[in-house]
Each structure stands twice: as structure tokens, then as C-alpha cells.
Amino acid sequence: MSHPSLPTTQAAITAIGEIAAEYGLAMSVSEDIGADATSRRTSADMFAVLDPDGSLPHEAYVELAGVPWVSIHLFPEDDAHITVDGIEFLDVPRDSVPAFLRSVHGGLAWVKGRFFPPGQWLVVPLPGDTTYREPAGINLTPWLARIVRG
């Protein structure tokens, strides 16, 4: 199923759940709701539920068990941090999370290595012209080692 727009954290959790079911992955979710509970609202007063603009911030941390292990931290500001086998992708737009997960679990992601300058990168292509790349380090997990391309 396509999710072109995920207007809320809850919509993103639902989309991630559909992808987890499609790929047979166990999913766990923890949620924080309210300005005094979300991680980016450190200046919020105690028991302040709403943001100054009247909105109710909703944040979630989702783990997908399996190979590769993936975690998604969804923020109320419409972005996410995604970790794939220990490699962090910061500030991924919330709307891109389903395509990102399909790329990773659908076999489109790969590790690219270079001799000079030396390094290995996890490359996650999305439909269109968007591609995410992050350093993969030198000690690759078994999953990362399996997806190395020259």
C-alpha cells in the first residue's frame, strides 16, 4: 500500500505496521504524547500537554525485529531518525519512512565500498531521485556484508 502523505505520527505507525506485517517482522512501539513527555520539548512546563500553538505533540519509537534490525524514532515535527543495523539516518521526512523501509527490507539497499578515500556506505534509494547514504564503518554486520556491491 502506498502512503504518499503521513500527516500524523499515528499514520506513520500504522504504515510501519503494514510494512512489518508484509515482511513478517515483529514490531514494538512506545509512544509519548504531550509537550511535557516528548523529547524535543525540554523547555515545556511540567504537565503542559499542548504546544504553545495548541497542538498535541505525539512522538513514537518503533523497533522492527529481524534482519536487519531497524528502529524508527518518529518526531512531532514530521521527521524521523532511522537506525539500520546500527547505522543512523537522521532527519528523514516522516512521509519517506515507508519507502525507506521498503527499500531496506525489499532488497534495494546496498553497501558501497571505496578504496580511496577508504570507506563503506549504506545506500538506501527511494522512488524518485532521493537516496540516503551514511557511513557503514569497517566492521559490517552479517546483513551489511551480504549486501556489499563493488
Side-chain angles (χ1 to χ4, degrees):
M1 181 183 285
S2 175
H3 297 278
S5 178
L6 300 172
T8 65
T9 298
Q10 191 59 49
I13 293 168
T14 300
I16 293 167
E18 291 171 1
I19 292 166
E22 180 181 336
Y23 289 99
L25 305 169
M27 178 175 135
S28 65
V29 180
S30 62
E31 299 178 69
D32 293 314
I33 299 173
D36 62 339
T38 57
S39 65
R40 291 184 177 168
R41 304 299 198 281
T42 56
S43 64
D45 293 332
M46 288 292 282
F47 309 109
V49 176
L50 302 176
D51 275 344
D53 67 358
S55 64
L56 179 65
H58 180 192
E59 177 175 303
Y61 182 78
V62 182
E63 289 185 0
L64 299 177
V67 178
W69 176 83
V70 176
S71 69
I72 306 104
H73 195 160
L74 298 162
F75 295 100
E77 295 81 14
D78 301 335
D79 69 319
H81 292 179
I82 302 174
T83 304
V84 179
D85 263 8
I87 300 169
E88 291 184 344
F89 293 83
L90 305 178
D91 302 321
V92 175
R94 181 169 55 210
D95 287 350
S96 297
V97 170
F100 189 102
L101 296 175
R102 287 186 192 288
S103 182
V104 167
H105 291 289
L108 299 176
W110 75 89
V111 172
K112 179 179 183 177
R114 294 186 310 209
F115 287 112
F116 191 79
Q120 298 181 92
W121 295 77
L122 177 55
V123 179
V124 182
L126 274 54
D129 292 333
T130 304
T131 301
Y132 291 92
R133 293 178 180 85
E134 288 296 332
I138 56 172
N139 296 320
L140 300 179
T141 65
W143 178 78
L144 290 168
R146 278 197 309 271
I147 62 169
V148 171
R149 292 187 191 170

